[in-house]
Amino acid sequence: MHRRHLLSLAVTVSLAVSGSACKKKDDASGAGAAGSGKAEAGDIVIGHYASMTGNTAHFGQDTDKAARLAAEQLNATGGVLGRKLKIVTFDTRGDGAEAANAVTRLIDVEKASAILGEVASSLSLQGGPIAQRRKIPMVSPSSTNPKVTQVGDYVFRVCYIDPFQGKVMATFARQTLKFDKVAILKDVKNDYSIGLADAFQKAFVASGGTIAIEQSYSAGDTDFSAQVTAIKSSGAQAIWVPGYYAEVGALARTAARLGVHIPLMGGDGWDAPELFSIGGDALNGSYFSTHFAPAPASPLAQKFVADFKAKYGQEPTGLGALGYDGVMVIADAIKRAGGTAPAGLRDALAATKGYEAVTGKITMDKDRNPEKSVVVLKIDGGKAKYESLVSP
Ligand code: PHE
């Protein structure tokens, strides 16, 4: 099933966009396969750029599945303003240059009326300036770094931002878990990780805690023994690791192997089933924050989970919930704008107010960020369990 889904995607091509050397390699798009290929006249194209493969493949896959579910449901009830919504997806492979190419091509070649993506903040920071320059609205479903929407007035998101997420987890570490000394381990190649490390640190220190030690790594690293050894002798009671799931899973195993049995704590970047397949039991007793928990959930969220399960045979993660909301918010704005003219669509997105989404109510603030609740999860028995919900 995974396989079939992958085959139905257009694959990003490398595209030289500079000067007269402009050259386009032909892609391997699954033209004709369900849910892909060229849009038909009259269709509204939403261009999705996402890491469908690579180290963060879960991010793109879960988001894309949910985005397609949203489009399918809208189309089944007459579409948007009587037109069909068409999701065209390009794979960024988790790479910045590919992300920029994907947005360029989605707008220039696929004629997208709006862009959905990216998940990773570093990649949204590559794609955003292109959407902004071309004046095509972009909605990141799940990039939480504040800089993402600072790119300009055509860039939106449907998730909370990291100063809030970091503060929620710092308060949780300090007041609920009663920690005084925490170590920080961040990915120095990742804007999200750097920003969320900083947000946590500020809030933790402001509430009287101390940072025992700061360590770093780079995306793709698999050996964390030097960092864990240094943290072990620092007296830290927990490790704040605002990274993505693959490295966090590997870190958890290293910590267990080296006899470091303190909780790991992190943010939404942990939210993938692969976290558990990589980290296993070593993650028990750890905590992370995310955007959505299948339970408890509103009736709308329950319906989304049931529909997602029925279509794909698996539970969505927070990413899926946000991908679904991203498409629905774009569709709602198109309806209110009465069409897809870019400036009108941008204004309608900016005016989004009290929209009932799967991940909660969405109201865009003046910086094109919604205020949303943070879900805190505890890992127990190799599973993430709902711990608490913190509202702004
Ligand atoms: N918030 C992360 C970022 O900005 C992306 C992410 C969102 C990852 C949700 C997992 C779940 O980079």
Side-chain angles (χ1 to χ4, degrees):
M1 178 211 57
H2 251 137
R3 181 98 200 116
R4 218 187 86 210
H5 186 70
L6 268 179
L7 286 175
S8 75
L9 293 164
V11 172
T12 301
V13 297
S14 313
L15 188 60
V17 282
S18 61
S20 58
C22 186
K23 207 168 72 188
K24 179 180 137 193
K25 273 198 233 146
D26 209 5
D27 69 354
S29 89
S36 96
K38 293 280 183 221
E40 283 166 32
D43 286 354
I44 296 173
V45 174
I46 295 184
H48 183 208
Y49 70 121
S51 52
M52 300 303 293
T53 58
N55 219 12
T56 54
H58 174 77
F59 292 174
Q61 299 258 347
D62 207 52
T63 308
D64 198 63
K65 283 181 181 142
R68 284 168 190 273
L69 175 66
E72 187 184 289
Q73 290 180 349
L74 287 163
N75 291 341
T77 53
V80 178
L81 301 175
R83 296 164 67 187
K84 276 217 166 99
L85 222 56
K86 180 95 184 171
I87 309 283
V88 176
T89 306
F90 285 157
D91 184 5
T92 63
R93 296 179 228 150
D95 177 81
E98 292 294 338
N101 289 341
V103 175
T104 303
R105 188 151 180 263
L106 285 168
I107 295 173
D108 293 357
V109 182
E110 304 295 333
K111 308 293 177 209
S113 294
I115 300 291
L116 180 74
E118 235 271 357
V119 167
S121 289
S122 294
L123 302 192
S124 289
L125 284 165
Q126 297 294 318
I130 292 165
Q132 179 67 32
R133 237 176 281 137
R134 284 168 168 69
K135 300 208 181 313
I136 293 296
M138 174 179 121
V139 176
S140 169
S142 39
S143 287
T144 46
N145 186 283
K147 290 185 287 184
V148 168
T149 45
Q150 288 164 10
V151 161
D153 61 349
Y154 276 82
V155 183
F156 299 81
R157 77 180 103 217
V158 291
C159 55
Y160 53 66
I161 56 175
D162 287 332
F164 179 56
Q165 176 170 217
K167 189 173 173 200
V168 166
M169 290 309 277
T171 306
F172 184 73
R174 189 81 190 109
Q175 282 168 17
T176 307
L177 303 176
K178 312 260 185 246
F179 292 147
D180 304 312
K181 280 175 85 177
V182 168
I184 293 182
L185 177 56
K186 68 182 173 196
D187 177 350
V188 286
K189 292 237 179 85
N190 178 333
D191 291 292
Y192 156 77
S193 191
I194 294 166
L196 191 50
D198 189 51
F200 178 93
Q201 169 155 10
K202 282 203 178 102
F204 193 69
V205 170
S207 62
T210 46
I211 303 304
I213 187 172
E214 264 192 77
Q215 294 281 297
S216 61
Y217 67 94
S218 299
D221 285 0
T222 50
D223 180 12
F224 297 91
S225 39
Q227 293 94 325
V228 170
T229 304
I231 290 169
K232 189 175 184 177
S233 55
S234 76
Q237 295 159 298
I239 312 177
W240 173 245
V241 204
Y244 293 156
Y245 60 88
E247 289 83 5
V248 173
L251 164 73
R253 296 176 69 96
T254 307
R257 182 166 50 79
L258 297 179
V260 177
H261 299 296
I262 54 179
L264 305 182
M265 298 182 68
D268 54 348
W270 288 28
D271 197 0
E274 290 82 352
L275 176 76
F276 304 100
S277 48
I278 302 169
D281 284 347
L283 287 159
N284 286 339
S286 292
Y287 297 87
F288 68 101
S289 46
T290 187
H291 303 267
F292 167 77
S298 65
L300 190 68
Q302 280 170 15
K303 180 175 186 314
F304 163 70
V305 172
D307 292 347
F308 190 99
K309 269 195 193 156
K311 186 167 164 69
Y312 299 112
Q314 63 191 128
E315 288 229 338
T317 59
L319 292 150
L322 288 169
Y324 185 89
D325 286 347
V327 170
M328 289 302 189
V329 162
I330 291 170
D332 176 65
I334 293 172
K335 281 183 204 157
R336 281 185 287 108
T340 55
L345 180 52
R346 177 207 54 195
D347 290 347
L349 279 166
T352 300
K353 203 176 160 203
Y355 181 83
E356 294 280 359
V358 165
T359 54
K361 270 198 186 147
I362 295 178
T363 297
M364 290 296 167
D365 70 11
K366 63 172 192 353
D367 300 317
R368 298 164 301 284
N369 304 318
E371 277 199 350
K372 311 262 299 284
S373 301
V374 170
V375 177
V376 182
L377 302 173
K378 177 177 187 171
I379 302 175
D380 196 11
K383 267 198 213 127
K385 297 185 178 158
Y386 176 82
E387 172 84 17
S388 60
L389 181 79
V390 184
S391 299

